Amino acid sequence: MKILFAIVILGLTFCAQASEGALPLAEAEVDVFDLPSVHRGAAYFADYCMGCHTIKHLRYSRLAKDLKLTEAELRRDVLGEGGKFHDSLLSALDREDALKWFAVAPPDLSLIARARGADWLYSYLKGFYADSTRGTGVNNAVFKDVAMPNVFWELQGLQKPVFKKHDGSEVLVGLELAGEGKMSPQQFDRAMLDLVNFLVYAAEPGQFDRLRLGKYVVFALLFLSVILYKLKKAYWTDIH
Ligand code: HEC
């Protein structure tokens, strides 16, 4: 019965993937407690994403506290000199302008890691490829006809799609680098993983507190078991 269930679930996931018509997702080795990585990810976010996207649910002050940074350090890497420390991560982009330029407003990314999952985000960020039929000049391997431009083409280098004929239609089977970027593929993967770590953290900043609390709970339980053990021994010595 269990096996049957597993097969059905597996079948369903394959169907879901197939129906998207996209490449299989790359696996993101998320480690949200790798603070230097989340820190670097936040800096990338400020430099490359905040021109268009917001993270309304996260404040700079909270980010600084969670990353164990002083206000000055956070200003240096993420916020800049002019910004307000107690503000959320907002974008200066005007909604009307955005609609004019992209036809879609760039969504708030507060909960995107929960909505899409880390693997999807990682694949999306690595998945832009040249497509001359699009206004932005690019398409995306996991988000067909996306309105977002490729903000990392200089770092990554431009990617070209590899198509194969399948049942008479062209199917995307892979991507290949057509020109060198400022980063090596390994460096670029690392940078995108940093960004994904940051977005996973941002979707639930409370997870740091939970971990800290969890440590206290485990400690308290250990302490309690030692006391109970001693107590048990004390009782039994009388009986023996
Ligand atoms: C020049 C503006 C611009 C910049 C800069 C930008 N984006 Fe976007 N982004 C968009 C637009 C517009 C969309 C909506 C695309 C659509 O729906 O077709 C979008 C969509 C997305 C989505 C998909 C959301 C969904 O619907 O699931 C993600 C994830 C995303 N962006 C992440 C990022 C990240 C991370 C960065 C920084 C590395 C970034 N974006 C930089 C404009 C931008």
Side-chain angles (χ1 to χ4, degrees):
M1 190 60 202
K2 263 192 195 152
I3 292 179
L4 197 73
F5 190 63
I7 291 174
V8 170
I9 295 281
L10 216 85
L12 283 178
T13 40
F14 271 122
C15 288
Q17 275 190 359
S19 66
E20 293 239 318
L23 292 180
L25 297 183
E27 203 176 313
E29 287 175 18
V30 172
D31 180 2
V32 78
F33 299 110
D34 179 352
L35 294 190
S37 167
V38 177
H39 182 168
R40 289 192 300 268
Y44 286 127
F45 188 84
D47 284 349
Y48 289 95
C49 317
M50 257 175 58
C52 296
H53 293 281
T54 54
I55 299 190
K56 284 191 206 144
H57 292 329
L58 184 62
R59 287 174 195 281
Y60 291 105
S61 46
R62 167 91 208 220
L63 180 64
K65 180 173 151 265
D66 285 341
L67 290 178
K68 301 187 171 53
L69 299 175
T70 62
E71 182 175 338
E73 286 167 329
L74 192 89
R75 280 189 185 281
R76 183 193 61 204
D77 297 339
V78 185
L79 174 59
E81 281 310 314
K84 293 199 189 100
F85 190 55
H86 293 284
D87 263 1
S88 306
L89 277 70
L90 299 175
S91 169
L93 182 70
D94 182 75
R95 225 188 122 77
E96 298 294 310
D97 285 343
L99 287 174
K100 237 186 288 160
W101 294 330
F102 311 112
V104 208
D108 176 69
L109 296 181
S110 301
L111 297 175
I112 195 71
R114 268 201 258 172
R116 291 290 202 175
D119 288 355
W120 187 90
L121 279 179
Y122 186 56
S123 311
Y124 173 72
L125 291 169
K126 283 160 42 108
F128 286 90
Y129 64 84
D131 182 348
S132 56
T133 66
R134 305 281 312 152
T136 54
V138 285
N139 213 319
N140 190 284
V142 297
F143 191 148
K144 197 167 167 358
D145 297 342
V146 70
M148 176 171 142
N150 180 6
V151 294
F152 285 125
W153 68 272
E154 264 185 313
L155 296 188
Q156 185 184 24
L158 212 55
Q159 293 193 113
K160 288 231 161 96
V162 183
F163 289 110
K164 254 202 186 132
K165 269 232 152 48
H166 186 74
D167 287 342
S169 57
E170 299 264 296
V171 179
L172 182 69
V173 291
L175 299 175
E176 61 184 21
L177 263 186
E180 256 179 47
K182 286 187 186 156
M183 286 182 164
S184 71
Q186 289 79 9
Q187 284 171 328
F188 186 71
D189 284 0
R190 178 69 250 181
M192 294 308 103
L193 187 59
D194 292 339
L195 200 42
V196 171
N197 274 337
F198 167 69
L199 289 171
V200 172
Y201 150 76
E204 202 191 344
Q207 57 195 314
F208 282 136
D209 293 340
R210 242 193 3 248
L211 183 86
R212 245 167 263 148
L213 188 71
K215 273 189 194 153
Y216 286 123
V217 172
V218 170
F219 186 72
L221 283 177
L222 278 177
F223 189 64
L224 200 71
S225 16
V226 171
I227 294 184
L228 283 177
Y229 179 71
K230 292 224 153 130
L231 210 65
K232 175 193 156 242
K233 260 187 140 173
Y235 276 128
W236 282 93
T237 39
D238 281 353
I239 295 171
H240 277 308

